[in-house]
Amino acid sequence: MNTVNLSTGGPPETVLPSPPDELTSALQKAMTVDGDRQRQRDAVSSVVAAAPLFLEAWARLGDLARDPVEAYAAYRVGYHRGLDQLRQNGRMAEVIGEQAEAERCAQFLAQLDPAWDPAQVDRPTE
């Protein structure tokens, strides 16, 4: 398990579930592909495509990037997938009084619903 502790004395830590062994094995295999860096990057990219929520695969893809922009893109997507996992595994915002974050999470989840109607969103009054 990956433990994320954002403070030393605040809310309980959020523990992300460990990735399935088959994903870890697939990534290890991809990282050891013989040949040039391009073949290794292609192999890691295949792991990412098969498991887009696998954070370490995004990190390794960034490590294998051809240039800083490509690295940034891979790390950035991995960062956002990490936020998604933290929200899924640590929905404590409302419990600790972080109402704005709780509302953002609720809206994000509502937007994932295919039947979501954007007209349901409260709009600020001017």
Side-chain angles (χ1 to χ4, degrees), residues 1-3 15-28 47 51 53-57 85:
M1 294 206 177
N2 298 318
T3 302
V15 179
L16 299 179
S18 296
D21 290 340
E22 60 269 11
L23 289 180
T24 302
S25 295
L27 181 59
Q28 289 171 347
V47 174
L53 298 179
F54 185 21
L55 301 181
E56 186 163 347
Q85 286 190 24

Side-chain angles (χ1 to χ4, degrees), residues 36-94:
D36 64 6
R37 192 173 169 95
Q38 175 65 43
R39 288 187 64 217
Q40 195 176 39
R41 185 173 46 252
D42 289 346
V44 172
S45 181
S46 293
V47 174
V48 168
L53 298 179
F54 185 21
L55 301 181
E56 186 163 347
W58 282 107
R60 297 299 72 82
L61 190 60
D63 294 345
L64 292 167
R66 290 172 282 218
D67 59 54
V69 173
E70 189 174 87
Y72 174 80
Y75 294 141
R76 182 80 175 167
V77 172
Y79 163 78
H80 281 284
R81 296 301 68 82
L83 288 177
D84 294 344
Q85 286 190 24
L86 283 171
R87 286 182 173 135
Q88 291 169 359
N89 290 283
R91 294 287 306 279
M92 297 297 293
E94 191 168 12

